[in-house]
Amino acid sequence: MQVVIKRDGRKVAYDQSKVTNAINKAFESVDGEVTEDDKVIANKIAAEISNIKNDEMSVEDIQDAVETKLMKSSRKDVAKAYVLYRNERTKIRDRNSMLIKLVSEKLTASNVQNQNANIDENSFGGRIGEASNEVMKQYALDYCMSEMSRNNHLNNEIYVHDLNSYAVGMHNCLSLPLDKLLANGFNTRQTDVRPAQSINTAFQLVAVLFQLQSLQQFGGVSATHLDWTMVPYVRKSFYKHYKDAMIYLAEENIEGELSSVYLPKEYQLESYESFIQDMPSIEDEYFKKFKHFYKYALDMTSKETYQAVEGMYHNLNTLQSRSGNQLPFTSINYGTCTLPEGRLVTKALLDTSIKGIGMLHKTSIFPCGIFQCMNGVNRKEGDSNYDLFQLALKSTAQRLYPNYANVDWSGNAGYDVNDPKTYFSTMGCRTANGWDINGMGQTKDGRGNICPVTIIMPTLAMEAVEQASASLHGNEEEVAVEMFMSILDEKIHEAKDMLIERFNWIANQSPDSSHFMYENGTMEGYVPEEGIVSALKHGTLALGQLGLAETLQLLIGCNQTTEKGMVLAKRIEQLFKDRCAEFKEEYKLNFGVYYTPAENLCYTALKKFKQKYGEIPNVSDKEFFTNSMHVPVWEELDPFEKIDIESQLTGYSSAGCITYVELPSTVKHNLEALEDIVNYAMDKDIPYFAINVPCDTCMDCGYTDEIGNTCPICGGSNIQRLRRVTGYLTGNYTTAFNLGKQDEVAHRVKHEGKVF
């Protein structure tokens, strides 16, 4: 035998040494060494194969011959080792072959999956990023985690999010301490940035900070109280405009004596109390004494604020900072500041949202606007910011944003009413920070979600059902439920171990990996002598879940919209809550129950489930699993009924959740009903609430509403159809969403009932 046919079809000369080396490795794996006797056997077998009278043999034929000859020798144990070695090499080749296939698909955009609706997988950046992700994911599975973690992920039981970011040790989300960063300035790799001295500069720097921080992590970046943050910069701009008025209008001697006009000195923000005390309000009576100066300064400050806000909106929708031309995933919380400066900022944010951006006045994708509802501040007529709540409702009805955060949510107990940094806020999709066991209390700034995992509950439920059907222990349904609870408890403990495993991996990274973050203290608490764990420990470890509705359907034949289903749902959620509370105390890390958005996972987990278990009615007969504990999107309910159901479960979560209702576009003509719905959700102790309305835009004339096949204004058919993907918006859902999310949108019913 002279010629060997390789696996790729190439023909090469037979190399006896390669066969000898392979056999020697089998001997070494058994004996721990290769003896002279071993070498004799290996050389003999290799020589015998070379003398086979076939002109050509494939690699597989040669390996079969080696196995046969080893089995006939005195070393059958080595034959078994050779078989294992051969199988392992086959697995590696198959895996590498599959990896190259996936990389090729991503580089050529031949199999676009839209795993993230905010990434253009067809773009150069998207193709490079997605191909790189495939390699990084495989690296994370092979080298960064335990066998337990890897098996849970591959078996569709516990999903490890963002494997590509796992590999390099990135964390997930962060709420930026903007008060400090704007007041003190910050450093970048190339230069330093001076403290903001005007409202225009402050908003520009917010966009810059959002972009810079987004490169240090894989999730969202948030401003927790932007209206309060901007108060000193509105004042600084006002003072400058007032001074200009003095200079340019004084020639007319409009107000007579001007020498006693007070202008504040430069000021470094340290606390809300001090800036209120030391920096007079723009409505201070002293300024009003000079009415022409005052009117000019007020008008110019208002114009500057609106221009600054519009600039931020445009920046955050055009500054592409990640692979796939991805925009920074940004969120801004606002609505509670009753100072005139804060009210001006909130009004500008909402008016700009309503106006839209660009030539066609399109709905802004980012930032995700979040209006913070607060009793006595903005929820009822007579409250100081009630008018801004009304404006928020108008924006929601037309633009889907803002969403609504419940400052008075029971889960945020212990917050300081005088410190907006402790008000309940979210990082957009739904991630949130609860009480910090390591000393920061309810402070949100400088803290984030470190990493999440998600338990895929339908898989566990199916395992329990199969075990129950095979048992002989009476009531099969009851047995299945108890088996499920036991399996779930085991998997919650394993999920905890997986989170700690990843937390430690992240904590072992050098601070130089996120130089901007640790140098500027965007993640608070960093002590160089203690390492980056000193900052990470204040963040959240999110223990997520997927498919409560399908789980209940498998176990008891109904979901949480029924009394029977709700009883079991609460039992399941109580287990999550209890275990996270225990883990938090035991490990002194902020474990929290997370109601996973599962943008891509809802689809990929369903596909794996269906491959294994087939199509099951109301479980796997669609292209998606229901997110976390949500009521299935196809259930016919009015908005109050949906809120009633989900409000019984949201309190079990501390790491983030959202409730939303689907309404018709006509809600824009019935804001009173919308107000009732939002207030009802707040009164039901829903922490985070959103409204889904159809938001279609004609790309020819800019008309925005619910549009059929053609625009009713210009007759155009180029329609962008904007829908919420999870907690945030994206572009045209028919092209940006994955197949699972597209199918979910198709199944969504309006929660209107008799309300509209």
Short mmCIF file of all heavy atoms in Angstrom, two decimals, residues 175-216:
data_model
loop_
_atom_site.label_atom_id
_atom_site.label_comp_id
_atom_site.label_asym_id
_atom_site.label_seq_id
_atom_site.Cartn_x
_atom_site.Cartn_y
_atom_site.Cartn_z
N SER A 175 -25.30 51.29 35.59
CA SER A 175 -25.88 52.63 35.73
C SER A 175 -24.73 53.58 36.04
O SER A 175 -24.04 53.42 37.05
CB SER A 175 -26.91 52.66 36.87
OG SER A 175 -28.06 51.91 36.53
N LEU A 176 -24.54 54.54 35.18
CA LEU A 176 -23.39 55.44 35.32
C LEU A 176 -23.59 56.47 36.44
O LEU A 176 -24.69 57.02 36.58
CB LEU A 176 -23.16 56.20 34.01
CG LEU A 176 -22.41 55.47 32.91
CD1 LEU A 176 -22.36 56.33 31.66
CD2 LEU A 176 -21.01 55.11 33.33
N PRO A 177 -22.55 56.77 37.20
CA PRO A 177 -22.60 57.86 38.18
C PRO A 177 -22.36 59.20 37.50
O PRO A 177 -21.30 59.83 37.65
CB PRO A 177 -21.48 57.49 39.15
CG PRO A 177 -20.48 56.78 38.31
CD PRO A 177 -21.27 56.04 37.26
N LEU A 178 -23.35 59.65 36.73
CA LEU A 178 -23.16 60.83 35.88
C LEU A 178 -22.93 62.10 36.69
O LEU A 178 -22.23 63.01 36.22
CB LEU A 178 -24.37 61.01 34.96
CG LEU A 178 -24.48 60.00 33.81
CD1 LEU A 178 -25.78 60.21 33.04
CD2 LEU A 178 -23.30 60.12 32.86
N ASP A 179 -23.54 62.21 37.87
CA ASP A 179 -23.34 63.41 38.68
C ASP A 179 -21.85 63.66 38.88
O ASP A 179 -21.34 64.77 38.68
CB ASP A 179 -24.02 63.26 40.05
CG ASP A 179 -25.51 63.05 39.96
OD1 ASP A 179 -26.06 63.26 38.87
OD2 ASP A 179 -26.12 62.66 40.96
N LYS A 180 -21.13 62.63 39.28
CA LYS A 180 -19.70 62.73 39.55
C LYS A 180 -18.91 62.97 38.28
O LYS A 180 -18.01 63.82 38.24
CB LYS A 180 -19.24 61.43 40.23
CG LYS A 180 -17.75 61.33 40.46
CD LYS A 180 -17.36 59.99 41.07
CE LYS A 180 -17.49 58.85 40.08
NZ LYS A 180 -16.98 57.56 40.63
N LEU A 181 -19.23 62.23 37.23
CA LEU A 181 -18.44 62.30 36.00
C LEU A 181 -18.56 63.66 35.32
O LEU A 181 -17.57 64.18 34.79
CB LEU A 181 -18.88 61.19 35.04
CG LEU A 181 -18.62 59.76 35.53
CD1 LEU A 181 -19.38 58.75 34.69
CD2 LEU A 181 -17.12 59.46 35.50
N LEU A 182 -19.75 64.24 35.32
CA LEU A 182 -19.94 65.55 34.69
C LEU A 182 -19.34 66.66 35.53
O LEU A 182 -18.83 67.66 35.00
CB LEU A 182 -21.42 65.82 34.46
CG LEU A 182 -22.13 64.90 33.46
CD1 LEU A 182 -23.61 65.25 33.35
CD2 LEU A 182 -21.47 64.98 32.08
N ALA A 183 -19.39 66.51 36.84
CA ALA A 183 -18.89 67.55 37.72
C ALA A 183 -17.37 67.56 37.81
O ALA A 183 -16.74 68.62 37.93
CB ALA A 183 -19.48 67.38 39.12
N ASN A 184 -16.76 66.37 37.75
CA ASN A 184 -15.32 66.27 37.95
C ASN A 184 -14.54 66.08 36.66
O ASN A 184 -13.31 66.20 36.66
CB ASN A 184 -15.01 65.09 38.88
CG ASN A 184 -15.62 65.27 40.25
OD1 ASN A 184 -15.88 66.40 40.69
ND2 ASN A 184 -15.85 64.17 40.95
N GLY A 185 -15.21 65.77 35.57
CA GLY A 185 -14.52 65.42 34.35
C GLY A 185 -14.05 63.97 34.40
O GLY A 185 -14.27 63.26 35.39
N PHE A 186 -13.43 63.50 33.33
CA PHE A 186 -13.00 62.11 33.27
C PHE A 186 -11.86 61.97 32.27
O PHE A 186 -11.59 62.87 31.46
CB PHE A 186 -14.16 61.19 32.89
CG PHE A 186 -14.90 61.61 31.64
CD1 PHE A 186 -14.54 61.11 30.39
CD2 PHE A 186 -15.97 62.49 31.71
CE1 PHE A 186 -15.22 61.49 29.24
CE2 PHE A 186 -16.67 62.88 30.57
CZ PHE A 186 -16.29 62.38 29.33
N ASN A 187 -11.18 60.84 32.35
CA ASN A 187 -10.05 60.56 31.48
C ASN A 187 -10.43 59.51 30.43
O ASN A 187 -11.19 58.58 30.71
CB ASN A 187 -8.86 60.03 32.29
CG ASN A 187 -8.32 61.07 33.25
OD1 ASN A 187 -8.20 62.24 32.91
ND2 ASN A 187 -8.00 60.65 34.46
N THR A 188 -9.86 59.67 29.25
CA THR A 188 -9.98 58.65 28.22
C THR A 188 -8.58 58.20 27.85
O THR A 188 -7.58 58.71 28.38
CB THR A 188 -10.70 59.18 26.96
OG1 THR A 188 -9.85 60.15 26.32
CG2 THR A 188 -12.02 59.83 27.33
N ARG A 189 -8.49 57.27 26.94
CA ARG A 189 -7.17 56.74 26.57
C ARG A 189 -6.28 57.84 25.99
O ARG A 189 -5.07 57.86 26.21
CB ARG A 189 -7.35 55.61 25.56
CG ARG A 189 -6.05 54.94 25.14
CD ARG A 189 -6.32 53.83 24.15
NE ARG A 189 -5.09 53.20 23.69
CZ ARG A 189 -5.03 52.28 22.74
NH1 ARG A 189 -6.15 51.88 22.15
NH2 ARG A 189 -3.87 51.76 22.38
N GLN A 190 -6.89 58.77 25.25
CA GLN A 190 -6.10 59.77 24.53
C GLN A 190 -5.98 61.10 25.27
O GLN A 190 -5.01 61.83 25.10
CB GLN A 190 -6.72 60.04 23.14
CG GLN A 190 -6.63 58.88 22.18
CD GLN A 190 -7.71 57.82 22.39
OE1 GLN A 190 -8.65 58.05 23.15
NE2 GLN A 190 -7.57 56.68 21.73
N THR A 191 -6.97 61.45 26.11
CA THR A 191 -6.96 62.77 26.70
C THR A 191 -7.79 62.78 27.97
O THR A 191 -8.23 61.73 28.45
CB THR A 191 -7.51 63.81 25.69
OG1 THR A 191 -7.36 65.12 26.22
CG2 THR A 191 -8.98 63.56 25.39
N ASP A 192 -7.99 63.97 28.52
CA ASP A 192 -8.91 64.12 29.64
C ASP A 192 -10.01 65.09 29.22
O ASP A 192 -9.83 65.91 28.30
CB ASP A 192 -8.18 64.65 30.89
CG ASP A 192 -7.52 65.99 30.65
OD1 ASP A 192 -8.19 67.03 30.84
OD2 ASP A 192 -6.33 66.02 30.25
N VAL A 193 -11.15 64.99 29.89
CA VAL A 193 -12.31 65.82 29.57
C VAL A 193 -12.63 66.68 30.78
O VAL A 193 -12.78 66.17 31.89
CB VAL A 193 -13.52 64.94 29.19
CG1 VAL A 193 -14.74 65.81 28.92
CG2 VAL A 193 -13.19 64.09 27.97
N ARG A 194 -12.73 67.98 30.55
CA ARG A 194 -13.00 68.92 31.63
C ARG A 194 -14.44 68.80 32.11
O ARG A 194 -15.31 68.34 31.36
CB ARG A 194 -12.73 70.35 31.17
CG ARG A 194 -11.28 70.64 30.85
CD ARG A 194 -11.07 72.13 30.59
NE ARG A 194 -11.83 72.58 29.45
CZ ARG A 194 -11.37 72.56 28.20
NH1 ARG A 194 -10.17 72.07 27.94
NH2 ARG A 194 -12.12 73.01 27.20
N PRO A 195 -14.72 69.24 33.34
CA PRO A 195 -16.10 69.25 33.84
C PRO A 195 -17.00 70.09 32.94
O PRO A 195 -16.56 71.08 32.35
CB PRO A 195 -15.96 69.88 35.23
CG PRO A 195 -14.56 69.63 35.63
CD PRO A 195 -13.75 69.68 34.37
N ALA A 196 -18.24 69.67 32.83
CA ALA A 196 -19.21 70.40 31.99
C ALA A 196 -19.51 71.76 32.60
O ALA A 196 -19.67 71.90 33.81
CB ALA A 196 -20.49 69.59 31.86
N GLN A 197 -19.60 72.78 31.73
CA GLN A 197 -19.89 74.14 32.19
C GLN A 197 -21.16 74.70 31.58
O GLN A 197 -21.45 75.89 31.74
CB GLN A 197 -18.71 75.06 31.85
CG GLN A 197 -17.40 74.66 32.51
CD GLN A 197 -17.48 74.66 34.03
OE1 GLN A 197 -18.14 75.52 34.62
NE2 GLN A 197 -16.83 73.69 34.67
N SER A 198 -21.91 73.86 30.89
CA SER A 198 -23.17 74.30 30.30
C SER A 198 -24.05 73.09 30.06
O SER A 198 -23.57 71.94 30.05
CB SER A 198 -22.93 75.03 28.97
OG SER A 198 -22.48 74.12 27.98
N ILE A 199 -25.32 73.34 29.83
CA ILE A 199 -26.25 72.23 29.59
C ILE A 199 -25.94 71.56 28.26
O ILE A 199 -26.06 70.35 28.11
CB ILE A 199 -27.72 72.71 29.65
CG1 ILE A 199 -28.68 71.53 29.60
CG2 ILE A 199 -28.03 73.71 28.56
CD1 ILE A 199 -28.56 70.57 30.76
N ASN A 200 -25.51 72.33 27.28
CA ASN A 200 -25.19 71.76 25.98
C ASN A 200 -24.00 70.80 26.08
O ASN A 200 -24.04 69.66 25.59
CB ASN A 200 -24.86 72.87 24.98
CG ASN A 200 -24.66 72.34 23.58
OD1 ASN A 200 -25.42 71.52 23.10
ND2 ASN A 200 -23.62 72.81 22.91
N THR A 201 -22.95 71.24 26.76
CA THR A 201 -21.78 70.38 26.95
C THR A 201 -22.13 69.14 27.77
O THR A 201 -21.67 68.03 27.47
CB THR A 201 -20.65 71.16 27.65
OG1 THR A 201 -20.31 72.30 26.85
CG2 THR A 201 -19.43 70.29 27.84
N ALA A 202 -22.94 69.33 28.81
CA ALA A 202 -23.30 68.20 29.67
C ALA A 202 -24.00 67.10 28.88
O ALA A 202 -23.69 65.91 29.04
CB ALA A 202 -24.20 68.68 30.81
N PHE A 203 -24.93 67.46 28.00
CA PHE A 203 -25.63 66.44 27.21
C PHE A 203 -24.71 65.80 26.18
O PHE A 203 -24.83 64.61 25.89
CB PHE A 203 -26.88 67.04 26.54
CG PHE A 203 -28.12 66.89 27.36
CD1 PHE A 203 -28.71 67.99 27.97
CD2 PHE A 203 -28.71 65.66 27.54
CE1 PHE A 203 -29.86 67.86 28.74
CE2 PHE A 203 -29.86 65.50 28.30
CZ PHE A 203 -30.44 66.61 28.90
N GLN A 204 -23.79 66.58 25.62
CA GLN A 204 -22.82 65.98 24.71
C GLN A 204 -21.98 64.94 25.44
O GLN A 204 -21.72 63.85 24.92
CB GLN A 204 -21.91 67.06 24.13
CG GLN A 204 -22.56 67.96 23.11
CD GLN A 204 -21.57 68.96 22.53
OE1 GLN A 204 -20.43 68.62 22.24
NE2 GLN A 204 -22.00 70.19 22.36
N LEU A 205 -21.57 65.28 26.66
CA LEU A 205 -20.72 64.36 27.42
C LEU A 205 -21.49 63.12 27.86
O LEU A 205 -20.89 62.05 28.00
CB LEU A 205 -20.13 65.07 28.64
CG LEU A 205 -19.11 66.18 28.32
CD1 LEU A 205 -18.52 66.76 29.60
CD2 LEU A 205 -18.00 65.67 27.42
N VAL A 206 -22.80 63.25 28.09
CA VAL A 206 -23.59 62.06 28.42
C VAL A 206 -23.52 61.06 27.28
O VAL A 206 -23.31 59.85 27.49
CB VAL A 206 -25.06 62.45 28.71
CG1 VAL A 206 -25.95 61.20 28.72
CG2 VAL A 206 -25.17 63.15 30.05
N ALA A 207 -23.66 61.54 26.04
CA ALA A 207 -23.57 60.64 24.88
C ALA A 207 -22.19 60.02 24.78
O ALA A 207 -22.03 58.82 24.49
CB ALA A 207 -23.91 61.41 23.60
N VAL A 208 -21.14 60.82 25.04
CA VAL A 208 -19.77 60.31 24.99
C VAL A 208 -19.55 59.25 26.06
O VAL A 208 -18.98 58.18 25.81
CB VAL A 208 -18.76 61.47 25.17
CG1 VAL A 208 -17.35 60.92 25.36
CG2 VAL A 208 -18.80 62.40 23.97
N LEU A 209 -20.02 59.53 27.27
CA LEU A 209 -19.86 58.58 28.38
C LEU A 209 -20.61 57.28 28.11
O LEU A 209 -20.11 56.19 28.38
CB LEU A 209 -20.35 59.21 29.68
CG LEU A 209 -19.41 60.26 30.29
CD1 LEU A 209 -20.14 61.12 31.31
CD2 LEU A 209 -18.20 59.58 30.93
N PHE A 210 -21.81 57.39 27.58
CA PHE A 210 -22.57 56.19 27.23
C PHE A 210 -21.78 55.35 26.22
O PHE A 210 -21.70 54.13 26.34
CB PHE A 210 -23.92 56.58 26.63
CG PHE A 210 -24.99 56.88 27.63
CD1 PHE A 210 -26.17 57.50 27.25
CD2 PHE A 210 -24.86 56.53 28.96
CE1 PHE A 210 -27.17 57.77 28.16
CE2 PHE A 210 -25.85 56.79 29.89
CZ PHE A 210 -27.01 57.41 29.48
N GLN A 211 -21.24 56.01 25.21
CA GLN A 211 -20.51 55.27 24.19
C GLN A 211 -19.25 54.62 24.76
O GLN A 211 -18.97 53.44 24.51
CB GLN A 211 -20.13 56.19 23.03
CG GLN A 211 -19.43 55.46 21.89
CD GLN A 211 -18.96 56.38 20.80
OE1 GLN A 211 -18.59 57.52 21.07
NE2 GLN A 211 -18.97 55.92 19.56
N LEU A 212 -18.48 55.37 25.55
CA LEU A 212 -17.25 54.84 26.12
C LEU A 212 -17.52 53.66 27.05
O LEU A 212 -16.83 52.64 27.02
CB LEU A 212 -16.51 55.94 26.88
CG LEU A 212 -15.87 57.03 26.01
CD1 LEU A 212 -15.37 58.17 26.89
CD2 LEU A 212 -14.72 56.47 25.18
N GLN A 213 -18.55 53.79 27.90
CA GLN A 213 -18.85 52.70 28.83
C GLN A 213 -19.37 51.47 28.12
O GLN A 213 -19.10 50.34 28.53
CB GLN A 213 -19.86 53.16 29.89
CG GLN A 213 -20.20 52.11 30.92
CD GLN A 213 -19.00 51.61 31.71
OE1 GLN A 213 -18.12 52.39 32.06
NE2 GLN A 213 -18.95 50.31 31.98
N SER A 214 -20.10 51.67 27.04
CA SER A 214 -20.66 50.52 26.33
C SER A 214 -19.57 49.62 25.77
O SER A 214 -19.80 48.42 25.56
CB SER A 214 -21.59 50.99 25.20
OG SER A 214 -20.85 51.53 24.12
N LEU A 215 -18.39 50.17 25.56
CA LEU A 215 -17.27 49.36 25.06
C LEU A 215 -16.61 48.54 26.16
O LEU A 215 -15.78 47.68 25.87
CB LEU A 215 -16.23 50.27 24.40
CG LEU A 215 -16.71 51.03 23.16
CD1 LEU A 215 -15.67 52.05 22.73
CD2 LEU A 215 -16.99 50.06 22.02
N GLN A 216 -16.98 48.79 27.41
CA GLN A 216 -16.40 48.06 28.53
C GLN A 216 -17.28 46.89 28.97
O GLN A 216 -16.96 46.22 29.95
CB GLN A 216 -16.24 49.01 29.74
CG GLN A 216 -15.69 50.38 29.43
CD GLN A 216 -14.25 50.35 28.97
OE1 GLN A 216 -13.39 49.81 29.65
NE2 GLN A 216 -13.99 50.92 27.80
#
